[in-house]
Amino acid sequence: MASIKIGFAPTRRSIFSAPAAVEYANYTREKLRKMGVEFVDIDDIAEDGLLHDDADRIKIEEKFRKEKVDGLFFPHGNFGTEYEVARLAKNMNLPVLIWGPRDERPDENGIRLRDSQCGIFATGKVLRRFRVPFTYLTNCNLDDPGFEQGIRQFIRVCNVVKAFRNIRILQIGPRPYDFWSTMCNEGELLEKFNIQLAPIPLPELTAEMKAAKEEGKKVAETIKYCKENFNISVNEEQLENVAALKVAMRSLADKYGCTAGAIQCWNALQSEIGIMPCAANSLLNEEGFPVVCETDIHGAITALMVEAAGMDESRSFFADWTVRHPDNDNGELLQHCGPWPISCAGCKPTIGYPLAFDHPGAVEAEAKHGDLTLARFDGDDGEYSLLLGNAKGIDGPYTKGTYLWVEVANWPRLEAKIVEGPYIHHCVGIHQDVVPVLYEACKYIGVKPDLYDDVEQEVLDKIHGII
């Protein structure tokens, strides 16, 4: 599971009760500890453990940078000092969460101690003035279920932003000539998002495969793993090539410091090594290193975002939107030649032959059913968006490769979004509901969220901790 560290900076304003603010900051600290949240505190900097002084704010920023926090949490123990929150948030350029506990009933003299909710309103306005994107958690008590839900959602948002800002993709070969749909703008991805590509030619890959075979140990370990976890319907030489390809791609990814890969899976590769790369992709995907087909760079970006939203707890799969279900008007076939990780399979997978090619090396298995998130990062004319929504696995006819029939709420609406763009026939799926996390993460990375279901208010409620 991914590890995320939060910078914890509770805030107060002097004209309201300082003791009440300290009290609620300490309650919040204890709640986070019980939840197992990793956070960096400021109680060694500010005398009262609260952010309200500019000199303290400078020291807090230095500490947060040194500790490499991934997000900022500003509980408003009372009204809060909104400009100090905004200054720190602006400089750190990290996801921001603001929240305040519900205020007590005014006493018999009409005195209020904190006005935390009012402070959240002020902080939201000042953050917008500073052009700082932020997330807010609905004004609630610490013990309300929505508080924990909101904190955990925010941690996942931080993980997506962290992953997105550190993307480097191993590009093995150019896109296949026939796949104009998978072209991308490398310069624009770098300029807009700092997404880096590490392109290598196929001969560098085959040379690395040769070196892997000569070394022998890692290839033998991979062959053993395959025989234990797959049905094998290829010969020993072909299986050795599958293993050597997997080891070679992992080695090149490590050499170039990459977080995902995209490979030109056909057809030049087959004349060089005699296999499809799908099974090797599957093995790497299972290890948590996403590899996508047909040099689909945007697909690799999607896979990294989706897995980060799931806190690396489960693996994603790369698929084609393929054909409509023969009996269900809201059903669709998700399928690909065979790169899906084995943990997605609903049965023991087979290393065999794909649907449309004569060379071996693909995986065959129906994926397990259940609830899913489906997503696609893509762009046209310099504008990028993330198509996302939910689906569920359903029964359907057998087909070759790795596949899953899914049902969505309104297929024609989703089909129109894919056809009209900026998307293509590729998507990424995961057996988790990470739609709210991805939706909220988009505000921090300059990408437009594009829900294919009419559920925006439901998604916002989950983000804000409304149950």
Side-chain angles (χ1 to χ4, degrees):
M1 183 174 175
S3 176
I4 289 295
K5 191 185 295 184
I6 299 299
F8 178 77
T11 182
R12 73 169 176 88
R13 177 173 284 186
S14 58
I15 64 172
F16 293 92
S17 170
V22 171
E23 180 183 27
Y24 272 87
N26 289 333
Y27 289 156
T28 308
R29 289 180 172 97
E30 183 59 27
K31 178 68 173 180
L32 295 179
R33 291 188 185 103
K34 287 181 178 178
M35 290 172 56
V37 175
E38 184 179 2
F39 65 93
V40 178
D41 210 336
I42 65 170
D43 53 358
D44 59 333
I45 296 175
E47 185 176 349
D48 57 4
L50 299 167
L51 170 64
H52 54 91
D53 177 79
D54 204 53
D56 286 346
R57 190 262 310 165
I58 294 170
K59 295 174 185 176
I60 291 166
E61 180 180 334
E62 291 173 353
K63 181 178 182 180
F64 284 176
R65 290 189 185 279
K66 182 179 179 181
E67 295 286 343
K68 298 181 179 179
V69 300
D70 303 304
L72 304 173
F73 179 29
F74 297 102
H76 286 51
N78 62 28
F79 190 97
T81 306
E82 66 269 33
Y83 59 87
E84 294 296 355
V85 170
R87 286 171 175 170
L88 181 57
K90 180 73 171 182
N91 290 348
M92 294 296 294
N93 189 30
L94 293 170
V96 170
L97 179 65
I98 62 173
W99 164 83
R102 289 186 67 164
D103 294 271
E104 305 89 349
R105 181 189 300 272
D107 68 16
E108 63 276 7
N109 298 313
I111 301 299
R112 303 188 310 274
L113 294 176
R114 297 184 294 110
D115 280 19
S116 293
Q117 185 193 50
C118 190
I120 295 171
F121 297 155
T123 298
K125 178 63 174 181
V126 176
L127 286 170
R128 292 193 298 275
R129 290 289 193 194
F130 275 71
R131 296 187 176 180
V132 173
F134 64 92
T135 301
Y136 89 89
L137 182 55
T138 296
N139 183 233
C140 66
N141 294 314
L142 275 170
D143 291 331
D144 289 345
F147 178 83
E148 182 165 345
Q149 173 181 293
I151 294 291
R152 298 202 184 282
Q153 295 264 42
F154 179 70
I155 288 171
R156 290 170 179 262
V157 168
C158 291
N159 199 41
V160 175
V161 175
K162 180 180 180 179
F164 189 85
R165 291 178 176 176
N166 292 279
I167 291 178
R168 186 181 299 165
I169 297 170
L170 181 69
Q171 178 184 328
I172 304 174
R175 62 172 173 81
Y177 172 79
D178 289 334
F179 269 57
W180 287 52
S181 57
T182 61
M183 68 172 63
C184 76
N185 188 326
E186 178 182 356
E188 188 171 79
L189 289 173
L190 181 62
E191 292 159 4
K192 289 181 72 71
F193 306 118
N194 193 37
I195 292 173
Q196 303 173 28
L197 305 187
I200 66 163
L202 292 180
E204 185 172 354
L205 175 65
T206 54
E208 195 68 29
M209 286 181 64
K210 181 180 178 182
K213 289 181 179 179
E214 290 173 353
E215 187 274 335
K217 183 179 178 181
K218 292 181 180 178
V219 171
E221 291 172 351
T222 305
I223 291 172
K224 181 174 181 292
Y225 178 88
C226 290
K227 289 182 176 180
E228 290 173 350
N229 292 279
F230 295 85
N231 301 312
I232 307 299
S233 295
V234 299
N235 64 38
E236 288 295 322
E237 180 183 359
Q238 292 162 343
L239 183 59
E240 182 188 29
N241 278 340
V242 168
L245 178 57
K246 181 264 181 183
V247 172
M249 287 195 288
R250 177 78 260 187
S251 176
L252 290 167
D254 293 341
K255 176 181 178 180
Y256 292 107
C258 296
T259 54
I263 185 169
Q264 184 206 97
C265 43
W266 56 278
N267 52 9
L269 191 64
Q270 284 67 57
S271 63
E272 295 294 322
I273 62 175
I275 60 167
M276 301 297 293
C278 314
N281 295 353
S282 171
L283 292 166
L284 288 168
N285 286 327
E286 186 62 33
E287 289 182 356
F289 181 80
V291 182
V292 302
C293 315
E294 291 136 358
T295 325
D296 183 358
I297 301 300
H298 292 168
I301 294 167
T302 311
L304 287 168
M305 294 177 69
V306 165
E307 294 208 2
M311 295 299 285
D312 301 327
E313 293 173 341
S314 56
R315 304 276 67 89
S316 66
F317 59 90
F318 178 78
D320 281 355
W321 305 105
T322 307
V323 297
R324 295 184 73 174
H325 195 287
D327 307 310
N328 184 332
D329 286 345
N330 286 317
E332 177 75 5
L333 175 64
L334 299 180
Q335 189 270 348
H336 226 276
C337 297
W340 296 5
I342 62 171
S343 57
C344 290
C347 58
K348 188 173 183 178
T350 298
I351 298 179
Y353 284 75
L355 173 66
F357 299 92
D358 295 327
H359 292 86
V363 175
E364 301 175 54
E366 181 184 10
K368 59 189 177 185
H369 293 190
D371 295 330
L372 302 156
T373 295
L374 304 176
R376 172 71 190 183
F377 169 90
D378 222 319
D380 288 336
D381 300 318
E383 299 294 326
Y384 290 83
S385 58
L386 183 70
L387 180 69
L388 70 162
N390 295 115
K392 64 178 181 179
I394 59 173
D395 292 332
Y398 164 77
T399 189
K400 295 279 285 182
T402 42
Y403 74 96
L404 176 65
W405 293 94
V406 298
E407 181 181 44
V408 298
N410 186 328
W411 172 257
R413 180 170 57 200
L414 171 53
E415 181 180 282
K417 283 186 174 288
I418 300 170
V419 174
E420 294 173 352
Y423 314 107
I424 66 168
H425 61 293
H426 288 165
C427 70
V428 172
I430 193 169
H431 287 85
Q432 289 181 264
D433 180 8
V434 294
V435 170
V437 175
L438 290 170
Y439 181 97
E440 186 68 2
C442 283
K443 72 167 56 170
Y444 295 106
I445 59 178
V447 173
K448 177 185 175 183
D450 188 3
L451 295 165
Y452 61 71
D453 291 324
D454 186 19
V455 293
E456 186 170 37
Q457 190 56 54
E458 294 175 28
V459 169
L460 291 171
D461 286 348
K462 289 180 180 179
I463 293 165
H464 297 151
I466 300 171
I467 298 179

